[in-house]
């Protein structure tokens, strides 16, 4: 089974900050990775798929990169509505989610 | 507009059974694979099960294999999850969503399953 780790688990940041979240896979998954945002009490929202393709309607301040075993989600300038938990998901072998990264207000 | 409405959750005793339903609209249901994903209270997302558009391919997470059964009725635009031998650790909000190569772009609001005596 493919395992995913995310770092950091928790991140405290301010509006306007550049934020980077890393997702690592236990084995190579090419570009079969997606990123989701979830706010408390809400369903997840797809941000990025195929490691770097922005889902329609998602602001361009979100970007994704990486392939193989290491991936990053970057928010170029954090906005108040971006405080949430972010999950990566691998799609190479079944569909495992990472443990999540909570982005909180500093 | 894509709409997914999960139902069937509730309180059930350990060892009991429950059947979840997901009513889909706003897209061609029969053309999409479907997934169940769950989230235990205060925890992360866990993918549970996948069914292809024609029901020919089905996958389960190891944590539910042998206890849960996914199915669909394309004529009724509906997805189901039959959950047997329920355990406390199955307590979660269960979401359904169509997938394209596993990527879930649309999610329902979820239905809460509580397994407790």
């Amino acid at each position: 089974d493919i395992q995913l780790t995310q770092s950091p688990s928790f991140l405290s940041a301010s509006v306007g900050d550049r934020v980077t979240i890393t997702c690592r896979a236990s084995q190579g998954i090419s570009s079969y990775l997606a990123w989701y945002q979830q706010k408390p009490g809400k369903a997840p929202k797809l941000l990025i798929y195929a490691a770097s393709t922005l889902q329609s309607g998602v602001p361009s301040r979100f970007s994704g990169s990486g392939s193989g075993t290491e991936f990053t989600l970057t928010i170029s300038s954090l906005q108040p509505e971006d405080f949430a938990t972010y999950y990566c998901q691998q799609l190479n072998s079944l569909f495992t989610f990472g443990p999540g990264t909570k982005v909180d207000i500093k | 507009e894509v709409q997914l409405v999960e139902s069937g959750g509730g309180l059930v005793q350990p060892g009991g059974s429950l059947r979840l339903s997901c009513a889909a609209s706003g897209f061609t249901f029969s053309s999409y694979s479907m997934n169940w994903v769950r989230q235990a209270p205060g925890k992360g997302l866990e993918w549970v099960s996948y069914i292809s558009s024609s029901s020919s391919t089905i996958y389960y997470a190891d944590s539910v294999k042998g206890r849960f059964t996914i199915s669909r009725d394309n004529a009724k635009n509906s997805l189901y999850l039959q959950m047997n031998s329920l355990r406390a650790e199955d307590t979660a909000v269960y979401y359904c969503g169509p997938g394209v190569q596993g990527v879930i772009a649309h999610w329902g609001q979820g239905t809460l399953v509580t397994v407790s005596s």
Side-chain angles (χ1 to χ4, degrees):
Chain A
D1 292 3
I2 296 175
Q3 309 298 322
L4 297 177
T5 58
Q6 288 183 233
S7 59
S9 301
F10 180 85
L11 186 159
S12 185
S14 300
V15 172
D17 284 353
R18 180 181 181 88
V19 167
T20 299
I21 298 168
T22 299
C23 176
R24 291 186 175 87
S26 59
Q27 61 191 79
I29 58 171
S30 185
S31 297
Y32 294 108
L33 190 101
W35 289 96
Y36 298 84
Q37 175 194 68
Q38 187 180 34
K39 297 181 180 180
K42 300 294 186 182
K45 173 187 175 182
L46 175 66
L47 298 175
I48 286 168
Y49 59 95
S52 61
T53 302
L54 200 65
Q55 170 70 354
S56 176
V58 174
S60 59
R61 62 181 179 273
F62 291 92
S63 64
S65 65
S67 67
T69 61
E70 187 158 329
F71 302 84
T72 59
L73 171 70
T74 299
I75 309 171
S76 59
S77 178
L78 198 65
Q79 297 302 300
E81 60 268 29
D82 301 337
F83 292 96
T85 300
Y86 294 84
Y87 297 93
C88 56
Q89 180 200 23
Q90 68 83 17
L91 310 145
N92 184 72
S93 174
L94 299 184
F95 310 116
T96 322
F97 287 92
T101 295
K102 184 175 182 180
V103 177
D104 210 344
I105 302 172
K106 183 181 285 185
Chain B
E1 179 192 1
V2 173
Q3 286 202 331
L4 300 150
V5 180
E6 301 94 338
S7 61
L11 175 64
V12 61
Q13 292 189 338
S17 298
L18 214 53
R19 189 195 196 206
L20 304 184
S21 298
C22 169
S25 61
F27 65 104
T28 307
F29 180 78
S30 59
S31 296
Y32 286 84
S33 60
M34 293 294 294
N35 297 271
W36 287 101
V37 174
R38 68 184 181 183
Q39 186 169 37
K43 303 296 184 182
L45 301 171
E46 180 187 14
W47 170 79
V48 172
S49 186
Y50 162 99
I51 186 168
S52 63
S53 58
S54 65
S55 303
S56 59
T57 301
I58 287 174
Y59 301 121
Y60 297 100
D62 287 345
S63 57
V64 306
K65 201 174 295 182
R67 300 187 299 121
F68 289 13
T69 301
I70 191 172
S71 62
R72 64 190 296 162
D73 185 337
N74 286 343
K76 294 183 178 179
N77 289 348
S78 293
L79 175 72
Y80 306 102
L81 187 67
Q82 177 67 43
M83 304 186 296
N84 299 331
S85 303
L86 283 162
R87 307 166 179 167
E89 55 265 35
D90 296 318
T91 294
V93 173
Y94 285 74
Y95 297 99
C96 68
V100 176
Q101 296 184 330
V103 178
I104 304 172
H106 301 280
W107 299 67
Q109 85 290 345
T111 187
L112 176 62
V113 172
T114 303
V115 184
S116 174
S117 54

